[in-house]
Amino acid sequence: MSSNTPSSSAGGVGSADSAAPRRNSKRPKYSKFTQQELPACKPILTPRWVISAFMLVSIVFIPIGVVSLFASRDVVEIVDRYETACVPDNFRNDKVSFIQNETTNKICTRNLTVPKRMKQPIYVYYQLDNFYQNHRRYVKSRSDSQLKDNSSWDDVSSCKPEDNANGMPIVPCGLIAWSLFNDTYNFSLNNQQLAVNKRGISWKSDRDSKFGSDVFPRNFQNGLLIGGKRLDPNVSLSEQEDLIVWMRTAALPTFRKLYGKIERDLQPNEVIQVTLENNYNTYSFNGKKRLVLSTTSWLGGKNDFLGIAYLTVGGLCFFLALSFTIVYLVKPRRLGDPSYLSWNRNPGGH
């Protein structure tokens, strides 16, 4: 009996071990990628490499900055601020009453002198200051489906508060369209009309994809409060380019929008007479209005920022390269001394 007992106990242990479930290992499959054992380049930034890198950046950036700055300086701009000058003296203390009074004469004449020769095309912009087109409620107050497809002409769910007037849907609806800029400009030179081309001033993708050729204004600016320009109900939205330009909202409170193009050269000291109609209300929010005539260069309009930015970065890199060169010459590292490498130092002096 006693001789059989150990064998039975040994058999029980063996059967228990074989019946126990095998533990799954969580060790990931070995690969050089997961174990970060791939060949790697670990450059040591010696003084010569650092100085050469800074010098290369300065050599590239400084000429680009100079060229960009000269291109911007070649652009000729005429900027005329007129929102105060075009208000009669007796309304200077109450400009809001002047702009809201439909019986007052809002015709204003301005003279612009050409400072330098302006080559065609000369772009005519209006500039607004302190106008927040990027406000969330303003940006959302539009119906893209209505603008694109005539079958959705009554889709005004996102256009409040300018969604309906007199119980009928507004096309185009929303605050953006309702506040369309409505100042007008007429130009003359030597008592002859100076034509302004208003075709092709909007993005072609907007005309073709976002504004339908079968969508026409309906019930627009028929409410109690008129926001801005009225639209011709017989012209489709895809052809009303002033509206298309305005509907592409600006990101900043100061912005310019294209009004048209003058397709002839202007000579120095020529005087352009501008007859404008001061209709747009910027006085309620202390806004400013400017008329801008500008040429362009291969880099675009007048903007010194890009050239100044390149010159600043290039000049800073040149200064750092020069400083490191002086330090390297005054106190060079000893040849064959690897003590500057962190992994060759003895921490704590041990």
Side-chain angles (χ1 to χ4, degrees):
M1 292 290 294
S2 60
S3 61
N4 293 333
T5 301
S7 61
S8 62
S9 61
V13 171
S15 61
D17 290 343
S18 60
R22 178 176 296 177
R23 182 180 178 184
N24 294 327
S25 174
K26 294 184 178 180
R27 179 183 298 173
K29 184 180 179 181
Y30 173 80
S31 70
K32 289 186 177 181
F33 177 77
T34 58
Q35 299 302 317
Q36 299 184 11
E37 295 178 358
L38 291 174
C41 178
K42 299 178 181 178
I44 299 174
L45 298 179
T46 62
R48 291 182 180 179
W49 274 105
V50 173
I51 292 170
S52 300
F54 278 127
M55 189 62 69
L56 178 63
V57 172
S58 65
I59 291 174
V60 173
F61 274 45
I62 290 177
I64 294 177
V66 172
V67 172
S68 301
L69 207 56
F70 274 104
S72 177
R73 298 293 169 86
D74 285 340
V75 174
V76 184
E77 268 192 3
I78 304 174
V79 181
D80 180 53
R81 178 180 169 183
Y82 64 88
E83 86 281 347
T84 300
C86 287
V87 175
D89 293 338
N90 56 326
F91 281 101
R92 289 292 172 89
N93 295 325
D94 194 2
K95 300 173 184 176
V96 177
S97 298
F98 162 76
I99 204 69
Q100 292 179 345
N101 190 339
E102 296 183 0
T103 62
T104 55
N105 181 19
K106 296 181 175 62
I107 302 298
C108 179
T109 302
R110 307 287 291 170
N111 292 322
L112 308 178
T113 303
V114 180
K116 294 167 59 177
R117 183 174 180 236
M118 302 179 72
K119 296 181 180 180
Q120 63 171 318
I122 301 166
Y123 295 93
V124 181
Y125 301 90
Y126 55 89
Q127 177 177 320
L128 297 179
D129 295 8
N130 202 35
F131 191 113
Y132 288 83
Q133 271 199 320
N134 59 351
H135 192 281
R136 181 180 61 87
R137 291 189 63 188
Y138 184 88
V139 171
K140 292 178 64 176
S141 184
R142 61 185 293 166
S143 174
D144 289 323
S145 59
Q146 183 200 66
L147 297 172
K148 185 177 181 180
D149 190 0
N150 187 47
S151 62
S152 302
W153 70 276
D154 57 348
D155 182 9
V156 295
S157 57
S158 59
C159 292
K160 291 183 178 180
E162 294 299 322
D163 52 350
N164 291 279
N166 303 319
M168 293 292 293
I170 300 173
V171 182
C173 66
L175 285 173
I176 306 177
W178 174 80
S179 60
L180 177 60
F181 187 78
N182 62 342
D183 282 7
T184 59
Y185 310 110
N186 291 300
F187 301 88
S188 60
L189 180 64
N190 299 326
N191 296 322
Q192 294 183 351
Q193 187 75 17
L194 197 58
V196 177
N197 183 10
K198 297 178 70 68
R199 303 289 296 177
I201 61 175
S202 60
W203 289 22
K204 187 177 185 299
S205 59
D206 287 352
R207 297 194 300 270
D208 296 342
S209 304
K210 293 186 177 182
F211 293 82
S213 58
D214 60 342
V215 183
F216 295 84
R218 301 185 190 181
N219 202 28
F220 187 69
Q221 301 290 16
N222 287 337
L224 297 176
L225 189 60
I226 306 302
K229 182 180 179 180
R230 299 180 184 272
L231 297 177
D232 188 345
N234 298 316
V235 179
S236 66
L237 296 187
S238 63
E239 297 179 1
Q240 308 223 25
E241 297 200 42
D242 284 333
L243 173 69
I244 299 174
V245 171
W246 181 257
M247 294 291 286
R248 181 167 284 277
T249 53
L252 300 175
T254 298
F255 58 86
R256 293 179 180 179
K257 291 188 180 289
L258 189 58
Y259 182 83
K261 295 177 288 186
I262 298 175
E263 296 176 330
R264 59 153 291 180
D265 295 347
L266 297 177
Q267 303 303 322
N269 300 319
E270 287 185 329
V271 178
I272 304 171
Q273 188 178 59
V274 184
T275 303
L276 62 89
E277 193 169 351
N278 183 22
N279 296 315
Y280 201 69
N281 183 9
T282 58
Y283 308 106
S284 298
F285 53 88
N286 295 322
K288 301 178 180 65
K289 293 190 286 189
R290 289 179 171 88
L291 172 63
V292 181
L293 274 66
S294 176
T295 59
T296 58
S297 67
W298 59 271
L299 200 58
K302 190 176 185 65
N303 188 353
D304 293 342
F305 173 78
L306 187 62
I308 293 174
Y310 272 106
L311 286 176
T312 302
V313 175
L316 181 61
C317 289
F318 180 78
F319 172 77
L320 292 174
L322 188 62
S323 302
F324 289 162
T325 301
I326 294 174
V327 172
Y328 180 64
L329 293 177
V330 172
K331 192 179 178 180
R333 285 175 177 162
R334 290 171 295 176
L335 295 175
D337 182 11
S339 61
Y340 61 88
L341 299 176
S342 60
W343 53 82
N344 287 333
R345 295 174 187 166
N346 191 6
H350 300 292

